[in-house]
Amino acid sequence: MKYKPVIGLEIHAELKTKTKMFCDSLNDPDEKHPNINVCPICLSHPGTLPVINYEAVKKVIMAGLALNCKIAEDTFFERKNYFYPDLPKGYQITQYQKPLCQNGFLEIPNPKSQITNNDQNSKSKKKIRITRIHLEEDAGRLYHESGYSLVDYNRAGVPLMELVTEPDFETGLEVKKFAEELQLILRYLGVSDADMEKGLMRVEVNISLTGNDGKWGTKVEIKNLNSIKSASDSVDYEIKRQTELIEAGEKVIQETRGWDDSKKATISQRSKEEAHDYRYFPEPDLPPLKFTLAQIEAIKDGLLELPSQRRIRFAKYGLTDAQIEIFTMARHLGDYYEHVASELVASAKDFHIKKGLKGDFPNEPHLERRLHELSANYIITEFPTLMNAKGLEIDDLEGFKISPEAFAELMVLIFHKELSSTGAKAVLKEMAETGFHPEQIIKEKNLGQVSDEGEIEMVVDKVIANNVQAVEDYKKGKEASFKFLIGMVMRESKGRANPQVVEELLRKKLSI
Ligand SMILES: [Zn+2]
């Protein structure tokens, strides 16, 4: 590429707090009734005074610590003055000179190295520097109808964090990886629900191209992006658009563009306006903020596990990167898997004792690993259908009837071929209905796999007698006919015959 893209992000996230930033009106993004979570403070009636919501301050510090930032030991709020109908005060309380958090970074998988999140090699990571994270209050919402506009102040005064990155991104994919990881971190920490469709997380892109002469090109801003995919697509589109303009000898105009999802294109919204003079000054109604190092350390010690730490932990089970990613994104499913994993060895031991089997299993690491893999596969492939049938969301395990203990027992039975895969699915379905343990269901429904040669032989003989043509074809060398015969035996046994025994018996009988 002749031109190097220079891309930075500005991301706003509404904090998950009980009340607003400076008053005790509720912070409820799901409130549908307009202008209900309001009071004289957030509507800035004369004579009212704001009070700082400590929970919001703490949450921004938590985000800053998780993103490797330096936390300010002392800082203060400022007024940003401007007039707009969604801003009842006529100014926004924000931080300008001294943000709460500065100089952090977040590592994303480096797309150039083709390596995923779970690779711990530092070369496979790209560091995106974070310039600052500050705390401010959100504005209200305008609804434009034909001929008039409506305003809803429920959101006015809701705590908002603003994160600004250095211009370290070069592709849409990098923007996507960063936004996804940030979203996951904010959710893990309980800082924000970070749902972009609901406007709880809002991403803005700054993008320009640098030529061979090293000169920065004209910067374009992209706003009104309502999903991570739109953000990433708009970046790729804009790189192409600006490259084509430059190559055609035209100029990139400094402007704000929006994203049209149906056209898959950025569209001009407004060209550069006069620079605003916001007349920032320290908020006179609020005291400065001061923290001791001990206070910041205490917040750090209280941080919950981060996605990156969880991936390292899950890698120890020997799962694939894709499986680890699913268990990192769907946290309850991942927790369920871990509970199963902790039961597998005990279940395998019980099975050995019950069956009077010899040997030290499961004290063999590779067998334990295979049990882990088997369990992860079954959870990831079978649970979505089971949960869907119960009307549950994929990560909503409350009300899900299969206990991790019973699930571990089932895995051991499958592992020891006590069940065919068809039988296993039938048992699993029944477990989801009743919550019973697998052995009980197998006994009641007669679902166990048949490995007894005598019993299977009877079925095999019947199938051979009824399928003369297929037998002849096989003897002439048509391997597909053999598969057909296996299928017929399996069908005849209602899927319960052990396929390995079936294959052995068939081969033996047909080679005579
Ligand atoms: Zn209020």
Side-chain angles (χ1 to χ4, degrees), residues 20 22-26 37-43 156:
K20 289 189 182 179
F22 300 112
C23 63
D24 61 4
S25 299
L26 290 182
N37 291 324
V38 292
C39 75
I41 297 172
C42 51
L43 292 179

Short mmCIF file of all heavy atoms in Angstrom, two decimals, residues 20 22-26 37-43 156, ligand 1:
data_model
loop_
_atom_site.label_atom_id
_atom_site.label_comp_id
_atom_site.label_asym_id
_atom_site.label_seq_id
_atom_site.Cartn_x
_atom_site.Cartn_y
_atom_site.Cartn_z
N LYS A 20 -27.57 8.63 38.58
CA LYS A 20 -26.83 9.49 37.65
C LYS A 20 -25.54 10.03 38.26
O LYS A 20 -25.23 9.76 39.42
CB LYS A 20 -27.75 10.64 37.21
CG LYS A 20 -28.88 10.19 36.28
CD LYS A 20 -29.62 11.40 35.70
CE LYS A 20 -30.77 10.95 34.81
NZ LYS A 20 -31.51 12.12 34.26
N PHE A 22 -24.47 13.12 39.08
CA PHE A 22 -24.42 14.16 40.11
C PHE A 22 -25.71 14.31 40.92
O PHE A 22 -25.91 15.29 41.61
CB PHE A 22 -24.07 15.52 39.47
CG PHE A 22 -22.74 15.51 38.78
CD1 PHE A 22 -22.65 15.62 37.40
CD2 PHE A 22 -21.56 15.38 39.51
CE1 PHE A 22 -21.43 15.60 36.75
CE2 PHE A 22 -20.33 15.36 38.87
CZ PHE A 22 -20.25 15.46 37.48
N CYS A 23 -26.65 13.33 40.77
CA CYS A 23 -27.89 13.41 41.54
C CYS A 23 -28.39 11.99 41.77
O CYS A 23 -27.77 11.03 41.31
CB CYS A 23 -28.95 14.21 40.78
SG CYS A 23 -29.41 13.45 39.20
N ASP A 24 -29.54 11.84 42.48
CA ASP A 24 -29.98 10.47 42.73
C ASP A 24 -31.12 10.01 41.80
O ASP A 24 -31.81 9.05 42.09
CB ASP A 24 -30.32 10.24 44.21
CG ASP A 24 -31.44 11.15 44.67
OD1 ASP A 24 -31.99 11.89 43.81
OD2 ASP A 24 -31.78 11.13 45.87
N SER A 25 -31.27 10.69 40.67
CA SER A 25 -32.20 10.18 39.64
C SER A 25 -31.64 8.85 39.13
O SER A 25 -30.42 8.68 39.05
CB SER A 25 -32.28 11.15 38.46
OG SER A 25 -32.77 12.39 38.89
N LEU A 26 -32.55 7.92 38.78
CA LEU A 26 -32.08 6.60 38.34
C LEU A 26 -31.37 6.65 37.00
O LEU A 26 -31.75 7.40 36.10
CB LEU A 26 -33.26 5.63 38.25
CG LEU A 26 -33.90 5.19 39.56
CD1 LEU A 26 -35.02 4.19 39.27
CD2 LEU A 26 -32.87 4.58 40.51
N ASN A 37 -36.91 9.87 34.72
CA ASN A 37 -35.75 9.84 35.63
C ASN A 37 -35.04 11.19 35.60
O ASN A 37 -33.92 11.32 35.12
CB ASN A 37 -34.81 8.70 35.24
CG ASN A 37 -35.42 7.35 35.53
OD1 ASN A 37 -36.14 7.18 36.51
ND2 ASN A 37 -35.16 6.37 34.67
N VAL A 38 -35.75 12.18 36.12
CA VAL A 38 -35.20 13.55 36.12
C VAL A 38 -35.49 14.20 37.48
O VAL A 38 -36.39 13.77 38.20
CB VAL A 38 -35.83 14.43 35.01
CG1 VAL A 38 -35.39 13.95 33.64
CG2 VAL A 38 -37.34 14.42 35.10
N CYS A 39 -34.68 15.20 37.84
CA CYS A 39 -34.91 15.93 39.08
C CYS A 39 -34.36 17.34 38.89
O CYS A 39 -33.74 17.63 37.87
CB CYS A 39 -34.24 15.21 40.25
SG CYS A 39 -32.45 15.43 40.28
N PRO A 40 -34.59 18.25 39.85
CA PRO A 40 -34.11 19.63 39.67
C PRO A 40 -32.60 19.72 39.44
O PRO A 40 -32.13 20.63 38.75
CB PRO A 40 -34.50 20.30 40.99
CG PRO A 40 -35.69 19.51 41.48
CD PRO A 40 -35.40 18.09 41.07
N ILE A 41 -31.81 18.73 39.95
CA ILE A 41 -30.35 18.82 39.77
C ILE A 41 -29.95 18.54 38.32
O ILE A 41 -29.25 19.33 37.70
CB ILE A 41 -29.60 17.89 40.75
CG1 ILE A 41 -29.89 18.32 42.19
CG2 ILE A 41 -28.09 17.91 40.48
CD1 ILE A 41 -29.38 17.37 43.24
N CYS A 42 -30.45 17.38 37.77
CA CYS A 42 -30.02 17.09 36.39
C CYS A 42 -30.73 17.99 35.38
O CYS A 42 -30.30 18.07 34.23
CB CYS A 42 -30.12 15.60 36.06
SG CYS A 42 -31.67 14.79 36.41
N LEU A 43 -31.79 18.68 35.81
CA LEU A 43 -32.40 19.67 34.91
C LEU A 43 -31.84 21.06 35.19
O LEU A 43 -32.29 22.05 34.61
CB LEU A 43 -33.92 19.66 35.10
CG LEU A 43 -34.62 18.39 34.62
CD1 LEU A 43 -36.12 18.47 34.85
CD2 LEU A 43 -34.34 18.12 33.15
N ALA A 156 -29.88 12.53 30.38
CA ALA A 156 -29.08 13.71 30.74
C ALA A 156 -28.50 13.53 32.14
O ALA A 156 -29.24 13.31 33.09
CB ALA A 156 -29.94 14.97 30.69
ZN ZN B 1 -31.52 14.11 38.60
#
